[in-house]
Amino acid sequence: MLYVSTRGQAPELDFEGAMLAGLARDGGLYVPAEIPTLTQAQIAAMAGQPYEDIALRVMQPFTGMEPAHLKDLIDRAYAGFGHDARAPLVQLGPNHFLLELFHGPTLAFKDFAMQLIGQLFQDAMRRKGDRITIVGATSGDTGSAAMEAFRGLENVECFILYPHGRVSEVQRRQMTTPTEANVHAIAVDGDFDDCQAAVKAMFNDHAFRDRVGLTAVNSINWARVLAQVVYFFASAVALGAPQRRVSFTVPTGNFGDVFAGWIAKRMGLPIDRLVIATNRNDILHRTLATGEHRKDGVQPTISPSMDIQVSSNFERALFMAYGRDGKAVSQLMDELRDAGGFPVSQGALQALREDYDSGRCSEDDTAATIRAMHARTGEVLCPHTAVGVKVAEEHLAQTPMITLATAHPAKFPDAVEAATGARPALPPRMADLFERDERLTRIANDVDAMKTLIEKRLA
Ligand SMILES: *Cc1c(COP(=O)(O)O)cnc(C)c1O
């Protein structure tokens, strides 16, 4: 299986190459040269199977890996989850279901991809006899998921930069309480943009980059998208696919999750609609509604993991909608950078609308949805999930709707308490999070100091 760049100018790579590269050398994102399909019988055979078995059937064709070996890595990735079903479904109403993706170690769906990527990276490094250094910037969720995934692994060191004093206490403690020596929480005296700029500067220092074997695990990594395809299959089959069609609503920021749903559909899963749910940072909803993809500034919300201005994985959807024309995508991305936006061609807009619907949820409606769902069903939603549930309710039809619950409510206790009056509790298995010892290094907003620290820790 080969992977091509969405900008058409980078070398084609195999699965491992695309995973280790992250971003393609022409600035594009890797996508499979062709999408493998599963027969209706193969999909039907997933009914009642453990999550890990479904994961193997869905992912193996994309990887070219030996099945027993891949299965071993999958088993290790999900062993630490707090629910046997891994991604259980609960019912919200007559035709509306919630897919709980928050039973992983950091209580957000990002664990599904990050835990697997940890195993895949360690495996690749063992085989190559090499080691890598992961450096990432986080506003909260991605960094904690990465540290949980990489802690204790061989041949991998992981440094996460976060803005000092600007992440929630749960998020900070998830980064500062792992005890393994190969994961490092770095509190930067700056904001998230400073952290991100520092990571970028390290990648642009090619000598440093080569010396430490620098790698990124950000949301554009193809292996992360692939791991997310699995729960679309697992949940759809649990509701009667392939005999019965289903639709999904996905709380969306960087478009990785909803694009995984699109891949599932192209593999043969009978998905009717893929509904993109945005908060008031609604660039994707506006794009689908008007055909104009245009940035207009990020506004902070109570669903912060969806506060985006550039939705990086949307480039993959554009590549498909433009008939895999890398040159066209490359021009659009230049226009986005230079002019702040671009019109989507009529043909591409029509292609997007054939698969995706969209909706937007205001701050007031997010809080009202948390409150109403709690009253009507007893379910406590995180603010991101509430955005999804609100938009899903506007798209309910004959087909069963599955809304992705992207985080546990206890990860965002202030917003949930403000809406329901009750503070959500952490699951029992992490109830001692606030008693664990913290370990972090505070550092000035100075890239040279950060590089020195990293090299000293690696020595
Ligand atoms: C990352 C995240 C999202 C957005 O997912 P994308 O794949 O970036 O679209 C939504 N909700 C939560 C809780 C997240 O952490």
Side-chain angles (χ1 to χ4, degrees):
M1 163 71 63
L2 280 177
Y3 289 83
V4 299
S5 165
T6 50
R7 301 196 191 173
Q9 297 294 315
E12 297 187 2
L13 297 175
D14 65 6
F15 174 73
E16 185 175 295
M19 175 180 81
L20 294 176
L23 200 68
R25 239 190 290 159
D26 58 3
L29 279 61
Y30 277 106
V31 291
E34 57 195 287
I35 297 169
T37 55
L38 297 173
T39 64
Q40 299 295 292
Q42 284 173 316
I43 296 171
M46 293 175 186
Q49 295 301 305
Y51 187 86
E52 286 80 355
D53 288 279
I54 297 174
L56 177 66
R57 288 169 201 210
V58 171
M59 292 194 289
Q60 197 279 333
F62 288 92
T63 66
M65 287 169 73
E66 200 270 309
H69 182 57
L70 178 58
K71 179 63 169 31
D72 182 47
L73 300 179
I74 293 169
D75 286 346
R76 286 168 201 269
Y78 300 125
F81 276 49
H83 198 300
D84 277 353
R86 307 311 182 215
L89 277 171
V90 299
Q91 191 159 6
L92 291 181
N95 217 11
H96 191 185
F97 299 82
L98 196 65
L99 179 59
E100 293 186 350
L101 300 175
F102 51 67
H103 294 283
T106 69
L107 307 179
F109 83 88
K110 293 191 171 68
D111 288 324
F112 277 89
M114 209 62 96
Q115 287 290 323
L116 184 72
I117 236 189
Q119 296 297 326
L120 289 167
F121 267 63
Q122 173 177 255
D123 183 57
M125 288 304 117
R126 266 192 195 141
R127 236 170 322 106
K128 289 162 113 71
D130 215 344
R131 57 187 273 190
I132 44 166
T133 302
I134 287 158
V135 179
T138 188
S139 55
D141 282 346
T142 305
S144 51
M147 290 188 67
E148 268 297 328
F150 287 100
R151 68 191 175 96
L153 298 188
E154 286 166 36
N155 305 333
V156 183
E157 293 283 326
C158 178
F159 295 83
I160 297 297
L161 313 178
Y162 70 90
H164 178 69
R166 300 192 200 206
V167 298
S168 81
E169 186 167 9
V170 172
Q171 288 172 326
R172 188 193 72 235
R173 285 182 167 274
Q174 284 179 333
M175 292 189 279
T176 59
T177 57
T179 54
E180 291 81 357
N182 72 321
V183 290
H184 313 262
I186 313 290
V188 177
D189 284 317
D191 60 19
F192 172 59
D193 289 337
D194 294 326
C195 297
Q196 222 167 8
V199 172
K200 224 179 220 164
M202 289 183 215
F203 271 90
N204 285 334
D205 178 346
H206 292 219
F208 175 79
R209 181 175 173 168
D210 292 342
R211 245 185 352 258
V212 305
L214 204 59
T215 308
V217 289
N218 48 16
S219 76
I220 53 89
N221 197 299
W222 166 254
R224 282 185 60 178
V225 175
L226 177 58
Q228 293 168 186
V229 178
V230 177
Y231 45 69
F232 287 89
F233 276 91
S235 59
V237 166
L239 288 186
Q243 290 81 7
R244 183 155 74 146
R245 295 166 78 77
V246 296
S247 292
F248 287 91
T249 299
V250 184
T252 296
N254 264 324
F255 211 82
D257 223 1
V258 71
F259 187 72
W262 187 89
I263 293 283
K265 184 171 179 176
R266 283 299 174 279
M267 290 179 73
L269 188 66
I271 295 176
D272 184 17
R273 308 303 301 162
L274 286 163
V275 184
I276 300 161
T278 74
N279 63 24
R280 67 179 172 192
N281 297 292
D282 62 351
I283 179 166
L284 294 167
H285 174 53
R286 282 186 286 111
T287 303
L288 266 285
T290 68
E292 183 75 17
H293 187 70
R294 188 154 299 280
K295 302 194 263 189
D296 70 350
V298 179
Q299 307 176 50
T301 71
I302 56 171
S303 45
S305 301
M306 296 159 64
D307 292 349
I308 52 104
Q309 143 130 293
V310 175
S311 181
S312 41
N313 279 291
F314 189 57
E315 181 169 340
R316 288 188 161 111
L318 286 170
F319 180 70
M320 299 302 175
Y322 276 82
R324 292 178 169 264
D325 181 347
K327 212 163 153 200
V329 171
S330 193
Q331 277 165 9
L332 296 177
M333 292 302 132
D334 287 347
E335 237 180 295
L336 181 64
R337 185 195 56 214
D338 300 337
F342 54 82
V344 180
S345 75
Q346 271 308 314
L349 186 61
Q350 199 182 335
L352 288 168
R353 285 174 176 165
E354 272 166 27
D355 291 314
Y356 302 102
D357 286 325
S358 66
R360 153 195 210 277
C361 180
S362 70
E363 290 290 273
D364 285 348
D365 281 345
T366 306
T369 302
I370 296 175
R371 199 176 311 117
M373 267 299 142
H374 185 233
R376 277 159 52 197
T377 67
E379 287 296 322
V380 182
L381 308 178
C382 96
H384 309 79
T385 307
V387 167
V389 165
K390 169 73 182 166
V391 171
E393 287 190 323
E394 295 164 357
H395 288 84
L396 290 179
Q398 292 299 312
T399 319
M401 175 65 80
I402 300 173
T403 297
L404 272 51
T406 50
H408 191 286
K411 234 180 156 170
F412 303 93
D414 296 335
V416 174
E417 186 175 10
T420 65
R423 201 160 179 85
L426 285 166
R429 68 202 158 89
M430 42 190 87
D432 68 339
L433 185 66
F434 288 87
E435 277 99 67
R436 295 180 202 163
D437 288 336
E438 292 193 75
R439 184 174 57 101
L440 62 95
T441 307
R442 193 161 160 191
I443 199 161
N445 180 22
D446 170 356
V447 183
D448 287 328
M450 296 179 208
K451 287 195 247 182
T452 305
L453 172 79
I454 288 171
E455 293 210 75
K456 227 165 81 190
R457 292 277 172 91
L458 293 176

